[in-house]
Amino acid sequence: FALSSGFLKSKLNKREREREGGKKEMSAIFDFSSLLTVLLLLICTCAYVRDMRPTIFDGGEVQEPGKPLMKRPGISGILWKLSRIGERLSPYVGASCAIMAVHLLFFK
């Protein structure tokens, strides 16, 4: 019970600070800088995982030449697309990560 009451007190204190005009904490979804950071981390992670295990996002199937394109529905398809972006645009993704690191370290 003590743990939950401490949690509730911290929530209440946060709400009281917001009412008094204190700084509101934003989610990574609503803060553009954090959203870009999360997107870059997802791209880099998916590219790395696909480099280690090439068929992880393909469901174990390998694309053969002359065969129609495979459909990749759902979250697996999104992760596959992010890994392809990381592979094909790796110099730009790397530069973006370096710029974001400088921004987070010195300006935020």
Side-chain angles (χ1 to χ4, degrees), residues 47-84:
Y48 177 76
V49 168
R50 191 160 190 266
D51 189 41
M52 294 292 118
R53 303 218 180 234
T55 60
I56 193 163
F57 301 127
D58 297 335
E61 298 177 24
V62 178
Q63 180 73 30
E64 296 177 15
K67 194 176 177 186
L69 292 175
M70 293 188 302
K71 292 188 178 186
R72 295 173 178 88
I75 191 74
S76 176
I78 293 170
L79 296 176
W80 179 83
K81 288 175 187 173
L82 290 172
S83 70
R84 294 299 281 183

Side-chain angles (χ1 to χ4, degrees), residues 13 19 25 28 31-32 34-35 38 47 63 70 85 105:
N13 288 337
R19 282 188 205 138
E25 296 178 19
D31 185 18
F32 186 69
S34 298
L35 180 68
V38 169
Q63 180 73 30
M70 293 188 302
I85 290 170
L105 288 174

Side-chain angles (χ1 to χ4, degrees), residues 7 15 17 25 29 31 34 37 43 49 56 68 90 102:
F7 175 74
R15 287 184 185 154
R17 282 184 302 212
E25 296 178 19
I29 297 171
D31 185 18
S34 298
T37 304
I43 289 172
V49 168
I56 193 163
S90 60
V102 168

Side-chain angles (χ1 to χ4, degrees), residues 18-29:
E18 288 176 1
R19 282 188 205 138
E20 294 172 0
K23 184 179 177 185
K24 293 182 181 179
E25 296 178 19
M26 297 179 82
S27 170
I29 297 171

